[in-house]
Amino acid sequence: MQIHIKGLLVITGNYGSGKTETALNLAFNRKEAGIDVAIADLDLVNPYFRTREIRKSLGEAGVKVILPEEKYMHADLPILAPEVAGIIRQPSELLILDAGGDDVGVTVLAALGDALSRQTVNMIQVINPFRPFTDNVEGCLKIMREIEQRSKLKMTGLVSNSNMMEHTSPDDIYRGYELICKVSQQSGIRIEFITADTRLIPMLDMNRFECPVLPIKRRLAFPWN
Amino acid sequence: MAKVLMKGNEAIGEAAIRAGCLNYFAYPITPQSEVAEYLSKRLPEVNGVFVQGESEVAVGYMIFGAAACGERVMTTSSSPGVSLMSEAISYIAGARCPAVFVNIVRGGPGLGGILPSQGDYFQATKGGGHGDYHMLVMAPDGVQEAVEMTMKAFPLAEKYRGPVMILGDGLIGQMMEPVEFPDDLYVEPTNKDDWATNGMERRGSSTKNIVKSLYLDPATLNNHNLLLKSQYEQMKREEVRFESYNTDTDYELLIVSYGTMSRVCKTAIDNLKAEGLEIGMVRPQTLFPFPEKAIHDAAAKESCKHVVSIEMSMGQMVEDVERSVKGKKEVTWFGQCGGEVPTPEAVMEHIQTLLNQNQ
């Protein structure tokens, strides 16, 4: 099954759900599939492990990257690159907006409301069942409501990013898929895709999934790896 | 409890709750703010108290107040915030109150930057505040150890009736790792009736407990300091913790490093081992008390030609390493500041250079 997402895509989710890793891997994956991809770092919340840390390899892969100015690379200031509103008005084939975590992280989207209101917006919620507050359906639905309220946008898709770092097993991937199936049933929001580390892909029974699987290669590594 | 994936900052918050700490006061600062964010959600669920102070100075004295009442209490901050709290830490040590301080260190001096650093080693281990006092300082190398150390910090603070610090560089707070919390969660508080201002009526006593750090009589103050000194000596006997890595080999060089830096060094040691070169490491888990004997003995090994202290600071721990090695082997420093963590390759290259010089 192929990932079909195109147009304007906002990636949201609770803090630490793996939004940025999902966004980066989706950007590389879609670029390789021949799609014109741009990615904008809207994370005004998280001080470390941000899209801006791998701007070089994104650029080399031909992904257009919209970031705050280089001199603010390591600032913990809520800077929104001014070109973001412009690119939303004229998006590439796939424009990924990597938002910050929780409802707080998507507040910035409301500020872009004018630009977003003229576009069809896809907004996906990334869920990692191993993170606090989203290990159950109620927790996922709560954060979904909070994100929708703050961003003034509707959630359109779900992504399971079941992740325990190098300890992730195929069963963990199935568990994440089962959780978003339930979230999908209760909310009526469709499952967009699930993610799995490239190492796990050969071990997975793909027949268990009724959605595409995005292979994940960790991009924001620890300094000792 | 099953494993969960947590940021170090979140895990420290959860660990405090599970150690029976229901009082948390803090002021936000990068890269530690997630502790406050997490506990502002979690503490109300367990009938705990979270107050965001108007500054770190205020927070320091909120901690003093709660600790004087015999409550389990914690704050978290990062470097500039800990500087502001240092006055209160000295008062808390002087007044002999148990309290837990967490410093998720960022680059300095001054405002510095928001990236990881180990530049607060001196501040944590040699004072920070005024007067003859020490804190017991523990330095985790990952999220799981941050949980264990945070949970241990409370009973240790009560054992010695003083401040205990968890010192983690920014990465320890920001990185995510799978973590497991022990099932046996709540550690019963010690009996604080003999000193805490927890109410005469409540403890059925007719004597007031007074918590203070003021001793105007010189002989009394001297005795008070001697008591504190005897406690620091007891810490040196009973609380030293360290990890030895690859020290069962005939290593040619000994690394001393802690926290995030020690994980980079482990990768470097593994890589060099694959190339046929043996390097040993002692990783202090307590920075005060410092594992002097372990480092002394490891440096004394005949095969060991050189000792290097590798730090994300400009040569702070190296002074304690030199003090431990007592001139038996040459001790030097290697490190980097500003937020970029030295890579395993940089460490390997430096080790090769040192060994070539020692040939």
Side-chain angles (χ1 to χ4, degrees):
Chain A
M1 252 173 287
Q2 290 297 308
I3 294 170
H4 290 297
I5 289 183
K6 279 196 183 177
L8 212 161
L9 175 69
V10 184
I11 300 195
T12 70
N14 79 312
Y15 196 59
S17 55
K19 292 171 298 299
T20 299
E21 284 290 358
T22 303
L24 294 174
N25 279 279
L26 185 66
F28 283 112
N29 177 284
R30 294 294 77 201
K31 186 68 203 174
E32 277 163 27
I35 291 172
D36 174 30
V37 183
I39 183 166
D41 183 359
L42 302 193
D43 192 344
L44 311 186
V45 183
N46 208 15
Y48 293 15
F49 302 111
R50 298 180 286 194
T51 298
R52 54 194 80 170
E53 292 182 26
I54 64 153
R55 63 168 81 198
K56 195 157 162 272
S57 49
L58 282 166
E60 282 164 6
V63 175
K64 186 174 160 64
V65 191
I66 304 109
L67 296 172
E69 282 181 67
E70 188 99 31
K71 64 178 172 179
Y72 300 122
M73 169 90 177
H74 294 296
D76 54 345
L77 299 168
I79 300 164
L80 182 62
E83 356 16 329
V84 172
I87 196 163
I88 288 173
R89 290 195 178 90
Q90 289 177 317
S92 46
E93 241 181 312
L94 173 63
L95 170 61
I96 300 170
L97 303 181
D98 179 20
D102 290 348
D103 50 338
V104 179
V106 294
T107 309
V108 60
L109 294 170
L112 296 166
D114 185 46
L116 290 167
S117 66
R118 291 160 215 202
Q119 303 287 338
T120 307
V121 180
N122 300 297
M123 182 162 79
I124 58 171
Q125 180 179 358
V126 177
I127 294 170
N128 179 356
F130 293 104
R131 288 284 295 149
F133 309 114
T134 55
D135 56 352
N136 59 66
V137 176
E138 292 69 34
C140 296
L141 292 175
K142 180 171 177 282
I143 190 81
M144 183 191 290
R145 283 191 301 273
E146 289 167 355
I147 287 171
E148 287 184 332
Q149 277 166 12
R150 272 297 177 100
S151 65
K152 300 189 169 39
L153 295 168
K154 284 283 161 206
M155 203 67 76
T156 59
L158 300 170
V159 169
S160 168
N161 177 51
S162 191
N163 177 23
M164 280 289 263
M165 318 296 271
E166 66 272 26
H167 304 285
T168 318
S169 71
D171 279 345
D172 296 335
I173 304 292
Y174 301 139
R175 176 177 153 184
Y177 177 66
E178 281 156 23
L179 176 67
I180 62 161
C181 284
K182 287 181 200 151
V183 176
S184 176
Q185 274 164 15
Q186 290 213 15
S187 62
I189 310 287
R190 72 169 182 271
I191 296 172
E192 208 66 63
F193 58 87
I194 65 169
T195 72
D197 193 288
T198 44
R199 173 183 64 84
L200 292 172
I201 299 281
M203 298 185 239
L204 291 171
D205 175 8
M206 293 294 173
N207 294 323
R208 291 178 69 155
F209 312 124
E210 290 177 18
C211 67
V213 178
L214 174 72
I216 293 268
K217 187 178 152 227
R218 200 174 152 89
R219 306 282 173 172
L220 303 170
F222 291 138
W224 53 85
N225 288 341
Chain B
M1 187 189 156
K3 276 197 172 178
V4 284
L5 186 67
M6 285 181 112
K7 273 202 167 196
N9 283 336
E10 299 167 333
I12 286 168
E14 185 63 33
I17 289 179
R18 284 156 187 265
C21 170
L22 298 179
N23 304 278
Y24 172 76
F25 315 125
Y27 187 82
I29 178 169
T30 307
Q32 134 324 129
S33 300
E34 292 84 0
V35 188
E37 202 175 345
Y38 183 84
L39 284 176
S40 68
K41 278 186 199 164
R42 274 288 280 137
L43 276 167
E45 294 176 9
V46 292
N47 294 320
V49 180
F50 165 53
V51 180
Q52 180 175 320
E54 62 266 48
S55 73
E56 288 89 345
V57 176
V59 166
Y61 286 97
M62 288 176 180
I63 298 292
F64 189 10
C69 297
E71 292 288 320
R72 284 204 161 159
V73 63
M74 177 177 88
T75 187
T76 58
S77 189
S78 181
S79 313
V82 177
S83 291
L84 285 172
M85 287 177 190
S86 293
E87 180 190 64
I89 294 176
S90 167
Y91 277 62
I92 289 167
R96 299 194 60 216
C97 293
V100 174
F101 290 82
V102 179
N103 183 358
I104 301 298
V105 184
R106 56 188 264 172
L111 273 178
I114 65 166
L115 292 176
S117 163
Q118 296 180 325
D120 297 356
Y121 179 91
F122 282 153
Q123 185 195 50
T125 60
K126 316 281 180 199
H130 57 280
D132 278 297
Y133 81 92
H134 279 291
M135 282 184 286
L136 200 157
V137 183
M138 292 184 276
D141 74 342
V143 180
Q144 186 68 51
E145 199 169 73
V147 165
E148 287 158 22
M149 287 179 172
T150 305
M151 292 189 69
K152 278 205 181 94
F154 293 94
L156 281 171
E158 283 156 15
K159 178 177 174 184
Y160 292 100
R161 277 182 60 189
V164 170
M165 178 169 275
I166 308 289
L167 192 73
D169 56 80
L171 259 174
I172 299 293
Q174 290 295 328
M175 71 176 173
M176 275 201 254
E177 284 186 313
V179 63
E180 205 164 6
F181 291 89
D183 286 327
D184 184 19
L185 305 175
Y186 180 60
V187 191
E188 275 297 312
T190 50
N191 188 343
K192 294 165 176 172
D193 286 356
D194 55 344
W195 63 266
T197 57
N198 56 0
M200 285 162 66
E201 206 172 317
R202 193 168 89 177
R203 59 177 187 266
S205 162
S206 57
T207 14
K208 278 183 192 168
N209 281 341
I210 297 173
V211 173
K212 58 163 188 160
S213 63
L214 178 70
Y215 295 95
L216 290 173
D217 174 56
T220 314
L221 182 56
N222 189 44
N223 285 336
H224 179 59
N225 271 289
L226 284 171
L227 170 69
L228 294 178
K229 184 172 164 53
S230 73
Q231 291 199 304
Y232 305 140
E233 296 304 324
Q234 189 187 346
M235 284 180 195
K236 289 179 185 176
R237 288 192 304 275
E238 297 178 16
E239 313 302 344
V240 173
R241 276 183 69 189
F242 61 92
E243 181 199 8
S244 300
Y245 193 73
N246 203 41
T247 48
D248 53 353
T249 59
D250 284 331
Y251 49 88
E252 294 188 39
L253 179 143
L254 181 73
I255 293 174
V256 183
S257 76
Y258 69 101
T260 289
M261 196 61 244
S262 70
R263 293 181 74 163
V264 175
C265 290
K266 279 183 180 174
T267 304
I269 290 170
D270 293 346
N271 292 347
L272 289 171
K273 196 182 183 73
E275 293 173 18
L277 184 60
E278 299 291 1
I279 305 297
M281 179 166 80
V282 173
R283 171 173 77 91
Q285 291 166 298
T286 51
L287 301 179
F288 185 90
F290 195 69
E292 293 168 33
K293 187 175 181 304
I295 291 167
H296 175 270
D297 294 353
K301 193 160 190 168
E302 210 181 324
S303 60
C304 177
K305 297 174 187 140
H306 194 101
V307 182
V308 59
S309 176
I310 305 188
E311 313 166 27
M312 282 144 64
S313 53
M314 286 288 121
Q316 300 194 20
M317 183 173 69
V318 67
E319 293 188 9
D320 282 336
V321 177
E322 280 172 345
R323 205 166 49 76
S324 307
V325 174
K326 297 186 198 313
K328 297 268 167 59
K329 299 278 161 71
E330 193 186 353
V331 177
T332 54
W333 162 87
F334 179 66
Q336 202 172 340
C337 250
E340 301 284 348
V341 181
T343 59
E345 291 71 29
V347 171
M348 287 159 66
E349 198 185 312
H350 184 73
I351 289 171
Q352 292 284 9
T353 311
L354 287 176
L355 286 174
N356 290 342
Q357 284 167 5
N358 274 282
Q359 292 270 307

